[in-house]
Amino acid sequence: MIKAEYKVVAVMSGTSLDGIDVIYAIFRYDKDWSFKIGHAETLKYSSQWKALLSNLVNKSLEELKELDIAYSEYLANAIQSFITKYNLSEIDFVASHGHTALHQPENKLTYQIGNRTVLADKLQQKVICDFRLQDVEYGGQGAPLVPIGDRLLFHNYDYCLNLGGFANVSFEENERRIAFDICPVNIVINHYVSKIGLEYDDRGKIASRGNVHEGLLSQLNQLEFYQQPAPKSLGLEWVKLHVFPNIDKLELKTEDILRTFTEHIALQIASVLKGKGTSTLVTGGGAYNDFLIQQLRLKTKSEIIIPNNEIIEFKEALVFGLLGVLRDRNEVNCLKSVTGAKQDHSSGKILNPNS
């Protein structure tokens, strides 16, 4: 039944491995979509799970399938603890992105772990999940999926920029939503600060002390991906193949690596945000990197807007909640103009408990 209001638990786990973002949101439709986030939390990964998830690209498909079951159970327990903590009795469904284990759209392959039926069975809730698979089957990149949410929930901004493991952007062009991954961000920064015992570069302070290595900067900016037209997307495999080797062979100090890579990020993003008098909503963990934001403001004429912490941290989970709502209504939640699929479609698997 098509309703005007949906109460949803939405779950997202990103490439930066900060943890599992879980929110309880209410979506309302009255000519336009609106939302209210009731509760939101990031459930940190244990060191064991963080190690497992950071090594997914080295696992075989069979190993991933085995891990998928364990991760689905882990996810179910995490979601249930959230539901219990906030005493949530009114839930239409759980919308879960899962965690990307393998993403090779050029081989018609994408695999998100954490989407097994055990999720619905353990929670005793309807679950809508596995949003990327159908898009890849339709010839799309299976990413990014957030732009439909940018269009429907954040249309007051010219650009929606997310700074997570990767930087991705979405905007309207000739009445079409355009979106793509721009470059790696935290997936690289966190990798190098982990070598000095840190999880992240707090406010970009380490990067701010470093010097730009012009040779490395030039090599990074010349990577073939940046010349490719949209739609396009990035994954950890690409970073391991093209970014880490270029950096590692130079044996630079950590602060110089971070300073150079921050410069690279700012330049790549600025090449996309071209409009004077435009506004850019910035979300994701990178929005807290003051030094990166400072460099970005120096290099683009678009007004950089940092929203409240709830939107910075939980916008992606919120949008996957909306994707679930649209799937439940059998309405388009995946745009061909964004992913390159052969058609717009309503994507996502619906799991019912004990079915």
Side-chain angles (χ1 to χ4, degrees), residues 270-290:
S271 72
V272 175
L273 312 180
K274 294 174 182 169
K276 190 176 181 181
T278 62
S279 60
T280 299
L281 177 72
V282 180
T283 56
Y288 294 122
N289 187 325
D290 294 343

Side-chain angles (χ1 to χ4, degrees), residues 116-129:
R116 293 296 189 100
T117 51
V118 66
L119 208 55
D121 293 344
K122 286 197 89 163
L123 293 170
Q124 285 298 295
Q125 299 280 352
K126 178 163 82 171
V127 174
I128 303 178
C129 60

Side-chain angles (χ1 to χ4, degrees), residues 150 154 157-162 168-170 177 280-281 315:
D150 293 341
F154 298 98
Y157 302 95
D158 296 294
Y159 297 98
C160 287
L161 175 69
N162 182 66
N168 51 61
V169 69
S170 91
R177 195 78 192 178
T280 299
L281 177 72
K315 175 172 169 275

Side-chain angles (χ1 to χ4, degrees), residues 24-38:
Y24 179 64
I26 299 169
F27 296 93
R28 294 188 180 91
Y29 184 74
D30 180 14
K31 296 179 184 169
D32 287 309
W33 283 102
S34 63
F35 68 90
K36 180 173 185 273
I37 298 176

Side-chain angles (χ1 to χ4, degrees), residues 105-350:
E106 67 280 6
N107 298 323
K108 287 260 194 312
L109 188 60
T110 188
Y111 191 177
Q112 278 66 48
I113 59 173
N115 292 320
R116 293 296 189 100
T117 51
V118 66
L119 208 55
D121 293 344
K122 286 197 89 163
L123 293 170
Q124 285 298 295
Q125 299 280 352
K126 178 163 82 171
V127 174
I128 303 178
C129 60
D130 221 357
F131 294 99
R132 298 186 190 276
L133 188 60
Q134 183 173 293
D135 188 76
V136 170
E137 288 170 353
Y138 281 157
Q141 290 278 313
L145 298 186
V146 170
I148 186 77
D150 293 341
R151 171 184 273 180
L152 298 178
L153 299 178
F154 298 98
H155 48 79
N156 294 337
Y157 302 95
D158 296 294
Y159 297 98
C160 287
L161 175 69
N162 182 66
L163 301 175
F166 299 91
N168 51 61
V169 69
S170 91
F171 52 93
E172 295 289 327
E173 188 175 85
N174 301 324
E175 298 183 0
R176 294 165 72 236
R177 195 78 192 178
I178 304 297
F180 51 92
D181 284 349
I182 300 175
C183 63
V185 182
N186 293 335
I187 202 165
V188 172
I189 293 172
N190 295 354
H191 172 78
Y192 286 101
V193 297
S194 73
K195 294 178 183 296
I196 55 171
L198 299 173
E199 285 192 32
Y200 57 92
D201 182 8
D202 183 32
R203 306 281 171 184
K205 289 173 189 166
I206 300 171
S208 70
R209 298 197 298 265
N211 297 305
V212 174
H213 187 288
E214 295 294 345
L216 174 59
L217 181 63
S218 176
Q219 283 185 317
L220 293 170
N221 286 335
Q222 287 172 34
L223 289 171
E224 188 189 345
F225 177 84
Y226 302 127
Q227 321 310 322
Q228 293 171 7
K232 55 183 178 175
S233 62
L234 289 166
L236 177 57
E237 302 96 319
W238 183 87
V239 174
K240 286 191 167 186
L241 198 61
H242 298 287
V243 177
F244 292 159
N246 273 319
I247 295 174
D248 293 344
K249 68 186 177 188
L250 293 170
E251 299 181 355
L252 302 175
K253 291 188 288 189
T254 302
E255 59 261 38
D256 293 344
I257 292 171
L258 299 185
R259 177 66 185 89
T260 305
F261 204 78
T262 298
E263 187 80 3
H264 170 66
I265 295 165
L267 286 169
Q268 291 303 324
I269 292 173
S271 72
V272 175
L273 312 180
K274 294 174 182 169
K276 190 176 181 181
T278 62
S279 60
T280 299
L281 177 72
V282 180
T283 56
Y288 294 122
N289 187 325
D290 294 343
F291 185 66
L292 172 56
I293 298 301
Q294 177 194 333
Q295 295 308 304
L296 202 47
R297 285 184 166 135
L298 287 172
K299 291 175 173 61
T300 178
K301 292 184 172 65
S302 185
E303 183 188 3
I304 302 296
I305 296 166
I306 312 292
N308 63 46
N309 290 3
E310 209 170 57
I311 299 300
I312 288 175
E313 293 173 29
F314 298 103
K315 175 172 169 275
E316 281 198 287
L318 175 75
V319 171
F320 276 98
L322 179 66
L323 260 69
V325 169
L326 296 172
R327 176 69 184 94
D328 199 53
R329 294 162 64 97
N330 204 29
E331 294 176 3
V332 168
N333 66 1
C334 222
L335 302 170
K336 65 179 182 181
S337 64
V338 167
T339 69
K342 63 184 179 185
Q343 65 191 69
D344 290 343
H345 54 99
S346 188
S347 190
K349 188 164 61 180
I350 297 177

Side-chain angles (χ1 to χ4, degrees), residues 3 5-9 24-26 83 86-93 125:
K3 306 195 301 176
E5 182 179 282
Y6 295 82
K7 295 175 178 176
V8 178
V9 173
Y24 179 64
I26 299 169
I83 290 170
Y86 295 107
N87 196 25
L88 304 177
S89 55
E90 294 181 73
I91 301 171
D92 286 299
F93 56 84
Q125 299 280 352

